[in-house]
Amino acid sequence: MAAAAEPGAHAWLGDASLRLDSPAQPQAGRRRPRAAGAAAGAGVGRAGARPPGPTTSGHGFRKVTLTKPTFCHLCSDFIWGLAGFLCDVCNFMSHEKCLKHVKAPCASLAPSLVRVPVAHCFGPRGLYKRKFCAVCRKSLDAPALRCEVCELHVHLDCVPFACSDCRQCHRDGHRDHDAHHHHWREGNLPPGARCEVCRKACGSFDVLAGVRCEWCGVQAHSVCSAALAPECAFGRLRTMVLPPACVRLFSRNFSKMHCFRIPESAAPEPGEGDDSPDAIAPTGPGREALGPESGKQTLKIFDGNDSLQRNLFRVITVPRPARSEEVLVRGSPQATLAQALGMALALSHTCPPSWQEAALRAYYIMEDPCDFELQALPPSGQAGGTEAQGNAWSGGTAEEEGGRGAGSREAMPEAWIIRAVPHTQEVLKIYPAWLKVGVAYVSIRVTPQSTAQTVVLEVLPILGRQAEGPESFQLVEVLMGSRQVQQMVLEDKEPLLHRLRDIRQTSLWQMSQTRFYVAESRVVTPRVSLFVAGLPPGLSSQEYSSLLDEAVATKAGLVSVSHVYSSQGAVVLDVACFAEAERLYMLVRDTAVHSRPLTALVLPDVLPKKLPPDCCPLLVFVNPKSGGLKGRDLLCSFRKLLNPHQVFE
């Protein structure tokens, strides 16, 4: 699903392509939260002054005192003097003179600016020198992940907070594309990169600065990119690139890794792969080890039931409260998770406001802290019990991270869970999917009586579609995860206010990644093409059908052989059911015929009538083990230069 706006990545604030009431506009009626007065991390001193006027692009800038050489993330120039402006959430550093020109959105606002949510294809962990994380903007000093389709680099702990803004490389179903626009990606440019507009250097090895189009390769300053035409012409390789509008693929039951034939790596989820059960947040750059005598304390923050059950938390450092504010929480070590949650709900503590603000910033949430509350958890309320202390999503701002004193049991962080305060009504954004309307979304008020059907009835007149019956539309919930974009059609009687509360109970960050679309209830005829290789050569179509029916039990009414490549021992199957296509794909890859393993590929439909007259798409075949095992890097490079559908192992 996507909003009724041009496809692309982030909509840079101030871009001429933005429309009225676009997601880039802040929601009316929301006051900006105050910034917690926590001390800054390594290299940044504390200074409490705020820049005049509202924050820019969702950032929460604060004036800080610099104690080491620092560069501006906008112009990439050195910041002379002792003062700079730091975003409390995403670590964006800026000159005072550059504040009014900042267009890169904060990590807390970026998910709302994604026009067409497309998941990333993360490869195996690797060392990427002189690269920066797209979420926390810090250097990738440790093993990190890289998207195999676009230039996104992230820390392992930052993967859950990455935007689902990968390149859109094909049409999915009946969707129609508007004119193809630039897909901007910020930072990680070579130092010799030159801006297309001002011809000055726009790359840097010091900070995440500059932008680059993922399709045509145009590089520019983020400020100068607004001067470029929004349409993308695919650059110097336009005659060899297969345009996304010319490729159609029903990928409902397949991940992008399957569609692009990318081997699925064993990349761990956040918190996995940590051999030390006591690893909370290791001391290192940007983290300070706090002893028992320190004036601060560390807290383990969970954002919902999901992180609590998986024992994944964020670690923040907050000023130690006075004794009158301290809370003693006692619980039995044998208490169950449900009992721990009950105790947490029963204990409403009055914690300092700075704690709530720091907890929200740790999860990249910039909302009013008054709408949230922190609830203390007893030690037995953690999913790992007292034996396993859990895994930390270390990665917030430098001032929010903290370690623990070596060998100090008393310095272990306390466990808290942050909850949204329930309201009797809420404002919900409804996106018009691919309907041809002039707005990106509409805001409606949801009450306990609101259901999916009543919301559709209320939204259609606003979108100018009141002449059509509500039975022709449906409300779709979309979770824009960085690894996978999931969608679910809501039942007509689904109470929306209760649904929103359930999502927030599960995860506050998941709520910021969830959208609701009103879409047409079209009946899509399933058609998936599977290429199956590794069969005995020299057989007929009927013989191949019988062989596959015996090996994987194909269903005659849903599966048919459309093409036969007898000399290569390969066939193409047309499958008329999404579930059956997924079953066959997974089963074929684990099946062997005559002691030879089979190979399965998902084939897209190429629409030759939509190809430009001068376009002759190039097919690339690469042996990943060739060239001293450099073939994998070649595969990744070709996927980024061309459409990934053109690249094969």
Side-chain angles (χ1 to χ4, degrees):
M1 290 298 168
E6 299 82 4
H10 293 157
W12 296 98
L13 302 189
D15 196 336
S17 64
L18 285 180
R19 299 178 177 178
L20 185 63
D21 196 26
S22 71
Q25 306 297 329
Q27 183 177 342
R30 280 286 189 192
R31 69 177 182 88
R32 301 298 302 172
R34 305 183 308 274
V44 182
R46 178 179 177 180
R50 286 276 177 181
T55 55
T56 307
S57 304
H59 295 286
F61 285 114
R62 175 173 55 87
K63 190 174 183 180
V64 295
T65 300
L66 306 177
T67 59
K68 69 177 184 180
T70 308
F71 294 84
C72 177
H73 290 197
L74 179 68
C75 63
S76 70
D77 289 340
F78 184 77
I79 299 180
W80 295 95
L82 299 177
F85 287 86
L86 175 72
C87 176
D88 284 327
V89 179
C90 69
N91 301 314
F92 193 104
M93 179 66 72
S94 173
H95 291 103
E96 183 175 8
K97 64 179 181 181
C98 293
L99 285 177
K100 59 183 179 181
H101 301 296
V102 174
K103 295 181 179 295
C106 180
S108 62
L109 182 66
S112 65
L113 302 183
V114 176
R115 290 170 174 170
V116 181
V118 181
H120 293 282
C121 299
F122 292 111
R125 288 186 294 181
L127 289 173
Y128 303 102
K129 297 181 179 179
R130 297 190 174 185
K131 299 293 184 180
F132 296 87
C133 177
V135 177
C136 67
R137 311 185 70 89
K138 295 181 181 179
S139 177
L140 298 178
D141 298 326
L145 297 181
R146 176 186 66 181
C147 180
E148 297 287 321
V149 178
C150 67
E151 285 292 339
L152 183 82
H153 295 75
V154 289
H155 291 109
L156 291 172
D157 300 325
C158 294
V159 170
F161 306 100
C163 288
S164 54
D165 61 347
C166 194
R167 289 194 298 167
Q168 188 179 17
C169 302
H170 57 261
R171 295 172 52 187
D172 194 347
H174 60 271
R175 304 175 183 176
D176 296 327
H177 282 259
D178 297 321
H180 195 82
H181 286 242
H182 289 296
H183 188 110
W184 297 113
R185 176 71 61 200
E186 184 185 11
N188 293 322
L189 305 182
R194 293 284 174 178
C195 177
E196 188 74 14
V197 178
C198 65
R199 307 309 302 173
K200 296 181 180 179
C202 60
S204 174
F205 272 159
D206 301 305
V207 292
L208 192 72
V211 294
R212 177 182 179 273
C213 177
E214 301 275 20
W215 285 104
C216 65
V218 169
Q219 302 169 129
H221 296 100
S222 60
V223 176
C224 298
S225 63
L228 296 172
E231 292 79 13
C232 179
F234 298 102
R236 293 177 295 178
L237 302 178
R238 61 182 177 275
T239 58
M240 295 184 288
V241 175
L242 182 63
C246 302
V247 186
R248 182 176 58 194
L249 178 62
F250 293 92
S251 59
R252 178 176 301 179
N253 288 49
F254 296 97
S255 68
K256 284 188 61 181
M257 307 288 281
H258 297 157
C259 298
F260 297 149
R261 303 164 299 279
I262 300 176
E264 298 185 53
S265 62
E269 294 291 332
E272 294 180 2
D274 193 354
D275 297 330
S276 173
D278 295 330
I280 299 299
T283 303
R287 298 182 175 92
E288 49 181 336
L290 302 179
E293 303 300 327
S294 173
K296 301 178 185 178
Q297 68 181 100
T298 55
L299 303 177
K300 295 191 299 185
I301 304 296
F302 299 88
D303 78 324
N305 297 343
D306 181 66
S307 62
L308 187 62
Q309 292 176 356
R310 299 167 61 192
N311 205 20
L312 297 176
F313 53 86
R314 303 281 284 181
V315 178
I316 64 173
T317 304
V318 294
R320 189 177 296 276
R323 287 190 175 274
S324 60
E325 295 176 333
E326 291 183 349
V327 179
L328 181 62
V329 180
R330 301 182 184 274
S332 171
Q334 290 78 24
T336 63
L337 178 61
Q339 292 172 337
L341 286 174
M343 293 178 64
L345 293 174
L347 295 173
S348 298
H349 305 299
T350 305
C351 59
S354 60
W355 288 21
Q356 296 178 358
E357 296 169 5
L360 291 174
R361 291 202 307 270
Y363 284 95
Y364 298 93
I365 299 174
M366 290 289 285
E367 297 187 28
D368 191 348
C370 297
D371 293 335
F372 301 88
E373 62 182 4
L374 278 174
Q375 299 172 356
L377 288 173
S380 59
Q382 302 167 36
T386 57
E387 297 297 328
Q389 301 299 338
N391 302 287
W393 287 351
S394 58
T397 61
E399 64 184 6
E400 292 171 1
E401 299 176 353
R404 56 171 178 162
S408 174
R409 182 178 293 271
E410 293 79 6
M412 283 294 294
E414 299 180 24
W416 295 74
I417 186 169
I418 186 167
R419 296 291 195 187
V421 177
H423 297 283
T424 57
Q425 57 183 8
E426 295 188 25
V427 176
L428 182 64
K429 295 179 181 178
I430 303 295
Y431 293 79
W434 291 92
L435 306 180
K436 301 299 181 180
V437 296
V439 295
Y441 67 87
V442 295
S443 298
I444 62 171
R445 195 170 300 276
V446 177
T447 64
Q449 292 74 34
S450 299
T451 62
Q453 187 177 32
T454 60
V455 167
V456 171
L457 288 172
E458 184 177 353
V459 168
L460 289 181
I462 303 177
L463 299 178
R465 307 294 289 266
Q466 62 273 16
E468 305 179 44
E471 62 277 357
S472 302
F473 297 89
Q474 59 190 3
L475 196 63
V476 182
E477 177 187 322
V478 178
L479 175 60
M480 306 183 300
S482 60
R483 294 178 183 268
Q484 187 176 4
V485 176
Q486 303 174 357
Q487 63 179 21
M488 178 180 66
V489 178
L490 298 180
E491 298 290 339
D492 290 342
K493 302 301 182 181
E494 177 80 27
L496 275 189
L497 190 60
H498 186 267
R499 180 61 185 164
L500 296 178
R501 291 175 180 174
D502 286 345
I503 297 175
R504 290 193 176 96
Q505 286 286 107
T506 302
S507 171
L508 290 180
W509 174 249
Q510 179 178 325
M511 185 64 215
S512 65
Q513 291 183 310
T514 301
R515 284 184 181 176
F516 293 89
Y517 291 88
V518 56
E520 292 179 301
S521 303
R522 292 185 179 181
V523 178
V524 180
T525 303
R527 181 181 178 274
V528 181
S529 298
L530 292 181
F531 177 83
V532 180
L535 298 169
L539 302 182
S540 64
S541 175
Q542 185 63 33
E543 290 173 326
Y544 281 128
S545 298
S546 301
L547 189 62
L548 288 174
D549 181 59
E550 179 182 352
V552 294
T554 57
K555 297 181 180 180
L558 300 176
V559 183
S560 61
V561 177
S562 61
H563 296 79
V564 177
Y565 304 95
S566 181
S567 58
Q568 289 82 23
V571 297
V572 176
L573 303 178
D574 280 350
V575 188
C577 175
F578 291 124
E580 176 66 11
E582 182 184 21
R583 187 190 71 85
L584 288 178
Y585 177 82
M586 303 303 293
L587 189 59
V588 165
R589 296 195 306 172
D590 297 332
T591 303
V593 174
H594 297 174
S595 301
R596 292 183 57 188
L598 300 182
T599 302
L601 301 177
V602 181
L603 298 182
D605 292 331
V606 179
L607 309 177
K609 294 183 179 180
K610 291 184 174 292
L611 283 173
D614 60 342
C615 181
C616 185
L618 177 70
L619 283 180
V620 179
F621 298 88
V622 179
N623 181 0
K625 298 182 180 180
S626 64
L629 299 178
K630 296 295 184 181
R632 178 184 173 275
D633 294 334
L634 285 176
L635 276 170
C636 186
S637 298
F638 277 118
R639 289 192 187 106
K640 295 175 182 179
L641 288 173
L642 305 172
N643 192 318
H645 289 294
Q646 301 175 244
V647 184
F648 294 81
E649 284 194 21

